Amino acid sequence: MHSVTTQDLFKFGFAKRDITPPPRGEMLFGYVDPNHRAHAVSMPLNARAVVIEAPGARAVAVVCLEICSVAQAVRDAVLDRVRKEFPDWSEDDLVVCATHTHCAPGGHYHDVLYSIASLGWYPHVLERYAEGAAEAVIAASRAMKPGRIRFAEGKIADEKPVAFNRSISAWNMNPDVTKFTFKERNRALDRVMRHYRFEDENGGFVGCVNDFAVHCTSMHRDQKVIHADNKGVAADLMEKEAGGVCLFIQGAAGDVSPNFQRFKGLVETRGTNRDDLISTYDNGRIQADVAKTLNEDAKASSPLEAYVKTMIEYVDLSRVEVDPRDVGGKTDCRTGPAVIGARAILGTDEGMPTPKIMFYLANVVSKVSDVLAWVRPKRNGSPVYLFGRDPIQGPKIGCIQSGYSEVFRSAAIHRIIFPDFVDPLIGKLKSWARKNITSRRPLTPQIVPIQLVQLGRAVWIIVPAEFTTMSGIRLKQSVLADYAGEANAATQAMLIGYANSYSGYVTTPEEYQRQLYEGASTHFGQWTQPAYQTLFRRMVLALGSTAARPVALVPSRPTAEELEWMRAAEL
């Protein structure tokens, strides 16, 4: 944790580097479709970095990668490279986030299930992402000069076809929202764009950090090209038309889609046009135009106080006791080891890589597996509750008990009922199970980093997950309430998702009960979102304390032998 007293000016620098791996037919990460592969580059991928420091203090870097999500392996590799230039940099000093494009190559994960989603890990992809990100951070650090940070926010008009709630029935489960119909789903989200303008001592524009939550899925799985999607388009347009380096980070986009209509002959929902390249440009154009307006509006705002605090903490999301204040006074609410629901297999209306018959089969097999496990009371492994009575996972029908290294309640994954030839991903998973790779550690991360960066009275809340709109709003409200009464208390909040690691979705407890895609993908159960409130409350208190920090938890990492087994076939 690092902090400084208030001064007049920050110091900051921006930089941008290309991170596009040469396409060799790697699986593109996001849709989990073995046929969605990189055969060409339609739009290059970039890492954009800003390094910020207050006088007399250490710096904090935020580097935004145009990839689907950040693996712990990527964060580790970026920090290792930065430390070669700046040996005193700590974990606190770095934020690595992603825009969530689904058209960037995968293979950068060392976690079993996410590595399976790319049919293995590709060393050249991980190296390209980490090297470019580190170069951007180092270059930004060397470019630091005095300047001011100003803030503006504004709503994107409802009629602008930029964002739509893709799970409207789950949204309507929340007691603290306005209920909307399916046709009104463009209003069932946070349409406010938040914009931080960075300018030099003379008021000249240097760069920006912009937040508007919308999935980077304007490009679909039938596009077998590398592309930075709508956030990449927005950043590119802003840089060409306003100058500087522009980070269009991703916020609470878990239930927010750029797609809203269907075209004859196309399975998934699309954006403004049946041609994805046109839709992607249109969406990015809307974001860039609003950002340019806010960039001008920010000139009239008071600059942020040059005050910096930053802190990162590794937490075990599988064992959080939730503060009763975060669940309406209820007691004994807690999270548990990760479980992925059968409904997640079906995907969403904008990405449905799995045939419905596979979902129905998985649903049936999951229920049968639960019953068989329940009648074997001495069985080791994940606990079994029938009829949705699980106090942690609630109504979820689990098919992958990833926190227990099980599939369909069995650690003998190579023996699951689906044969290898049904799907290449199943074949790969079973082949790794035969080598005992799947039994050595959880299939998905349980210990992950959460982080706070405070700039003046603004706080950036950094999470390793996909928060739905209302999950994000509740977390921001909770963090700001926790700051109340503190010296130099934050009064405005921005959420940065898909950052530092990845641990699935986070819905509100009410949304979770619907068990749509987002709820089924909320790994740690129905109390995950309030658990984050509890964890960040502790962090806010720790930021204002001089007490020693607790011993850091260590995330799961593979051995060299496991990595060699997990290496993807050469392309």
Side-chain angles (χ1 to χ4, degrees):
M1 178 172 62
H2 311 297
S3 63
V4 298
T5 56
T6 302
Q7 301 285 339
D8 291 330
L9 293 171
F10 290 94
K11 284 183 68 178
F12 48 75
F14 284 80
K16 170 182 166 182
R17 292 293 184 270
D18 188 293
I19 58 169
T20 314
R24 303 177 184 174
E26 303 94 340
M27 272 186 68
L28 296 165
F29 197 76
Y31 290 117
V32 200
D33 183 347
N35 298 312
H36 188 216
R37 294 176 175 268
H39 296 297
V41 177
S42 178
M43 182 180 184
L45 310 174
N46 288 288
R48 294 175 172 88
V50 58
V51 179
I52 312 164
E53 145 184 312
R58 302 171 62 100
V60 59
V62 178
V63 58
C64 182
L65 280 59
E66 290 174 336
I67 62 176
C68 188
S69 53
V70 174
Q72 182 71 52
V74 172
R75 178 186 164 81
D76 291 346
V78 173
L79 187 57
D80 286 346
R81 284 161 173 76
V82 171
R83 280 174 168 165
K84 291 179 181 177
E85 291 291 326
F86 308 114
D88 64 335
W89 273 51
S90 75
E91 289 262 16
D92 288 317
D93 302 327
L94 180 67
V95 179
V96 185
C97 60
T99 62
H100 202 44
T101 175
H102 286 42
C103 280
H108 53 297
Y109 274 91
H110 289 167
D111 306 286
V112 172
L113 201 62
Y114 301 144
S115 191
I116 286 288
S118 303
L119 291 175
W121 80 283
Y122 297 102
H124 70 279
V125 173
L126 174 56
E127 175 70 21
R128 190 77 183 96
Y129 293 163
E131 180 181 27
E135 287 178 359
V137 170
I138 292 167
S141 184
R142 289 175 174 160
M144 286 198 297
K145 294 181 180 179
R148 297 179 176 85
I149 305 173
R150 302 179 189 271
F151 174 75
E153 64 181 11
K155 180 182 176 181
I156 299 182
D158 289 347
E159 64 270 16
K160 294 290 185 181
V162 66
F164 303 80
N165 193 304
R166 69 185 186 188
S167 296
I168 190 68
S169 63
W171 162 279
N172 285 333
M173 295 288 288
N174 294 305
D176 48 347
V177 304
T178 300
K179 306 299 190 286
F180 292 109
T181 66
F182 180 78
K183 291 183 178 180
E184 298 172 312
R185 64 195 186 281
N186 61 310
R187 298 170 60 196
L189 51 97
D190 182 3
R191 296 188 70 91
V192 175
M193 177 178 282
R194 295 162 182 86
H195 187 86
Y196 291 86
R197 172 191 170 93
F198 290 69
E199 59 186 37
D200 61 28
E201 290 181 275
N202 299 317
F205 179 61
V206 178
C208 69
V209 175
N210 180 282
D211 165 40
F212 179 74
V214 60
H215 252 73
C216 273
T217 47
S218 295
M219 297 287 291
H220 289 76
R221 62 192 177 98
D222 54 355
Q223 303 296 318
K224 304 183 189 306
V225 294
I226 292 172
H227 198 288
D229 214 282
N230 57 62
K231 291 289 181 189
V233 170
D236 187 59
L237 289 171
M238 184 78 177
E239 289 168 350
K240 288 176 179 176
E241 297 169 9
V245 175
C246 302
L247 283 70
F248 276 68
I249 63 96
Q250 190 63 272
D255 54 353
V256 186
S257 171
N259 302 301
F260 61 98
Q261 60 182 327
R262 296 186 183 277
F263 291 93
K264 187 176 180 180
L266 299 177
V267 176
E268 294 96 351
T269 53
R270 304 278 163 152
T272 56
N273 196 287
R274 68 179 294 125
D275 185 329
D276 275 356
L277 291 175
I278 296 175
S279 284
T280 304
Y281 178 85
D282 289 347
N283 193 287
R285 177 79 267 175
I286 293 170
Q287 293 186 59
D289 285 345
V290 177
K292 287 195 299 177
T293 298
L294 294 176
N295 203 49
E296 291 299 308
D297 292 346
K299 291 179 181 179
S301 69
S302 299
L304 300 183
E305 296 170 297
Y307 172 86
V308 175
K309 276 191 175 183
T310 173
M311 180 179 181
I312 195 169
E313 183 179 355
Y314 282 85
V315 298
D316 187 347
L317 286 178
S318 70
R319 46 189 306 172
V320 181
E321 297 289 337
V322 181
D323 190 324
R325 288 175 289 179
D326 299 319
V327 283
K330 296 177 182 177
T331 57
D332 200 30
C333 293
R334 63 191 187 277
T335 61
V339 176
I340 299 172
R343 177 60 180 80
I345 294 174
L346 193 57
T348 67
D349 284 346
E350 60 190 357
M352 299 180 286
T354 305
K356 286 190 176 181
I357 184 63
M358 286 294 292
F359 160 66
Y360 293 127
L361 285 172
N363 203 41
V364 170
V365 172
S366 296
K367 291 179 178 180
V368 171
S369 300
D370 283 354
V371 172
L372 293 176
W374 185 74
V375 300
R376 291 159 50 205
K378 294 184 179 181
R379 158 191 173 274
N380 293 321
S382 55
V384 182
Y385 297 84
L386 299 183
F387 312 114
R389 293 175 179 172
D390 189 330
I392 295 172
Q393 295 294 340
K396 181 186 292 177
I397 299 171
C399 66
I400 302 175
Q401 293 76 27
S402 59
Y404 298 92
S405 301
E406 297 177 351
V407 176
F408 299 125
R409 301 286 183 185
S410 174
I413 295 174
H414 58 289
R415 296 177 181 171
I416 61 175
I417 190 170
F418 296 101
D420 295 27
F421 62 79
V422 167
D423 186 283
L425 302 176
I426 293 175
K428 178 67 72 174
L429 180 62
K430 293 177 73 173
S431 95
W432 286 6
R434 294 183 189 105
K435 298 173 182 176
N436 293 320
I437 295 175
T438 59
S439 61
R440 301 185 180 202
R441 55 197 175 101
L443 302 181
T444 55
Q446 314 290 291
I447 297 174
V448 295
I450 61 174
Q451 195 169 8
L452 284 176
V453 174
Q454 186 179 348
L455 305 174
R457 300 287 178 162
V459 62
W460 295 353
I461 304 164
I462 294 102
V463 293
E466 304 190 46
F467 274 59
T468 61
T469 301
M470 284 309 301
S471 282
I473 287 173
R474 289 185 189 177
L475 180 58
K476 288 186 289 186
Q477 290 173 340
S478 176
V479 168
L480 289 178
D482 294 335
Y483 265 105
E486 296 284 329
N488 300 306
T491 56
Q492 59 178 253
M494 179 175 76
L495 186 139
I496 301 178
Y498 311 88
N500 294 326
S501 182
Y502 183 74
S503 56
Y505 278 73
V506 179
T507 64
T508 67
E510 295 87 358
E511 292 166 347
Y512 184 92
Q513 305 311 309
R514 288 285 295 131
Q515 276 302 290
L516 301 183
Y517 177 78
E518 296 82 11
S521 302
T522 297
H523 294 189
F524 303 101
Q526 58 191 332
W527 310 116
T528 303
Q529 178 264 318
Y532 269 96
Q533 293 179 213
T534 298
L535 292 169
F536 274 103
R537 179 174 300 112
R538 296 173 190 168
M539 183 173 281
V540 170
L541 292 174
L543 275 174
S545 171
T546 57
R549 291 167 68 171
V551 176
L553 298 176
V554 178
S556 170
R557 293 183 175 95
T559 64
E561 181 185 40
E562 288 176 294
L563 278 181
E564 190 57 38
W565 283 339
M566 291 165 63
R567 184 189 292 263
E570 292 296 326
L571 297 169

